Amino acid sequence: MITLSQRLKKQQDQGVLNNRISVRDRLLARELQELAQVLPTNCLVNHDNVNDLSSFMLIIKPTEGFWQGGSFKFGVNVTEEYNMVPPIVKCLTRLWHPNISEGGEVCLSLLRQHSVDGLGWSPTRRLNDVLWGLLALFTDLLNFDDPLNIEAADMYRTSREEFQKKVNEYVIKYAID
Amino acid sequence: MRIEEGKAVSPSKSPTMADGVERMDNESIKPEKMFTLKKWNAVAMWSWDVECDTCAICRVQVMDACLRCQAESKRDFYGKQDCVVVWGECNHSFHYCCMSLWVKQNNRCPLCQQEWSIQRMGK
Ligand SMILES: [Zn+2]
Ligand SMILES: [Zn+2]
Ligand SMILES: [Zn+2]
């Protein structure tokens, strides 16, 4: 984290001198700092390459709910068009979840590029919103009615116990540090 | 660069909050979750309480050149900065540069979700 903060600071300082830094990187430098300020203790932001702010891992360890005890990695990719388009988020840990496919597709309205209901992406949103949205997928936003993994949702409807059992199986197999 | 603490509070309701908030607002939440929610609000509301003078898209003062114009240092090409402010019928203001990019994606005000139509432009 220290390395990243230093990097952010350096980037901002350079920004004053070097106007070639893209809008995305300028936004990212600021938003990553904000993210670090509010990051709950059960979450972690990890940059593989501190020279590239646009690609990082967000690790969430739910402290309650069905997935408690697991550690779930999300790959976040912020394209050059940010913040006119949402970050691309993929779940890199296999899990049994109605709103996340086994292939890692994440169903979260704020990550939708086009939406007319006002719940989709908007350039006023920040990385913080993405974090809270992903966290909520393990609690409040968990939605069995409009699932991405239909089998998981059906299983939950048929038997909560069976659902929890399968979730645990996946957690033990794929989501333990 | 930093969240201005003095302006960050006043967690009033807003239509741009992520869809999680509505549900998190109900009574059935545990105390520690309330804490999380408050922190979220403080950050999410940032653009609201300073909306009059800060562009909620690029977060630069509307009276200054937008982040894009700064990044491209347009001043070098035109000798003069011509990054103007645009006000919608909803009274929300943005840099014209920022808003013209966004309306290509979605013709709504990103702050209030109303259909975007320009009320006036200028400085
Ligand atoms: Zn702007
Ligand atoms: Zn501009
Ligand atoms: Zn508006």
Side-chain angles (χ1 to χ4, degrees):
Chain A
M1 214 52 229
I2 292 160
T3 328
L4 179 62
S5 312
Q6 284 168 344
R7 167 77 199 162
L8 293 172
K9 178 84 177 64
K10 202 169 143 218
Q11 181 141 8
Q12 283 189 340
D13 292 346
Q14 281 175 346
V16 182
L17 306 166
N18 180 6
N19 281 324
R20 294 267 149 232
I21 293 173
S22 72
V23 168
R24 179 209 45 195
D25 289 347
R26 284 159 186 255
L27 289 168
L28 272 178
R30 199 182 306 172
E31 291 185 27
L32 282 165
Q33 227 163 30
E34 289 170 1
L35 188 62
Q37 280 166 8
V38 298
L39 204 66
T41 48
N42 64 324
C43 298
L44 202 75
V45 175
N46 206 340
H47 279 80
D48 271 346
N49 175 3
V50 288
N51 292 313
D52 180 10
L53 296 180
S54 69
S55 168
F56 58 92
M57 202 130 81
L58 197 60
I59 302 157
I60 294 176
K61 300 175 184 185
T63 51
E64 57 178 319
F66 293 112
W67 295 270
Q68 189 177 353
S71 171
F72 303 96
K73 296 186 175 80
F74 291 87
V76 182
N77 232 301
V78 183
T79 63
E80 212 40 74
E81 293 79 43
Y82 191 75
N83 56 6
M84 292 299 154
V85 301
I88 297 163
V89 177
K90 250 194 113 153
C91 186
L92 307 174
T93 307
R94 237 177 118 178
L95 81 169
W96 195 245
H97 191 297
N99 312 118
I100 301 172
S101 77
E102 287 195 73
E105 258 182 289
V106 178
C107 181
L108 187 63
S109 58
L110 77 89
L111 294 174
R112 276 192 322 225
Q113 165 84 67
H114 297 286
S115 93
V116 285
D117 53 13
L119 297 175
W121 181 254
S122 141
T124 53
R125 294 198 190 280
R126 314 282 176 231
L127 290 181
N128 283 339
D129 301 311
V130 174
L131 167 75
W132 299 118
L134 289 175
L135 264 172
L137 273 183
F138 294 97
T139 52
D140 310 80
L141 280 182
L142 175 58
N143 172 9
F144 291 94
D145 298 325
D146 182 24
L148 205 56
N149 183 340
I150 295 162
E151 210 192 316
D154 284 346
M155 186 183 268
Y156 173 84
R157 269 184 223 109
T158 322
S159 161
R160 260 183 187 234
E161 291 73 42
E162 204 190 336
F163 177 78
Q164 179 68 71
K165 221 177 108 197
K166 182 117 179 174
V167 166
N168 292 347
E169 262 171 44
Y170 272 60
V171 166
I172 290 163
K173 218 162 158 186
Y174 306 111
I176 299 286
D177 282 333
Chain B
M1 292 297 164
R2 215 163 290 127
I3 302 171
E4 292 163 84
E5 260 111 300
K7 299 177 181 177
V9 279
S10 145
S12 50
K13 269 258 189 253
S14 90
T16 57
M17 287 192 294
D19 39 2
V21 179
E22 290 301 322
R23 273 174 250 193
M24 285 169 122
D25 265 338
N26 66 36
E27 313 86 314
S28 64
I29 29 181
K30 295 173 197 156
E32 74 256 34
K33 205 176 288 161
M34 276 308 287
F35 182 60
T36 314
L37 180 61
K38 271 183 198 144
K39 281 202 290 191
W40 183 11
N41 272 341
V43 177
M45 290 306 117
W46 182 83
S47 57
W48 280 81
D49 301 292
V50 289
E51 65 184 294
C52 316
D53 40 55
T54 301
C55 172
I57 298 175
C58 73
R59 306 167 83 185
V60 171
Q61 302 269 311
V62 283
M63 293 307 159
D64 294 337
C66 73
L67 205 59
R68 200 161 306 271
C69 286
Q70 286 181 24
E72 290 166 6
S73 50
K74 280 196 175 162
R75 211 182 291 265
D76 296 345
F77 299 102
Y78 303 117
K80 192 174 162 281
Q81 195 63 255
D82 58 350
C83 186
V84 295
V85 187
V86 62
W87 284 264
E89 289 295 345
C90 60
N91 280 320
H92 286 126
S93 60
F94 306 91
H95 292 109
Y96 178 76
C97 306
C98 296
M99 201 50 193
S100 62
L101 269 175
W102 174 245
V103 294
K104 283 186 211 155
Q105 311 275 344
N106 193 336
N107 194 39
R108 282 168 197 277
C109 171
L111 285 174
C112 65
Q113 307 301 327
Q114 281 183 49
E115 183 130 333
W116 178 255
S117 65
I118 293 175
Q119 183 196 95
R120 68 195 161 97
M121 273 166 71
K123 268 275 179 189

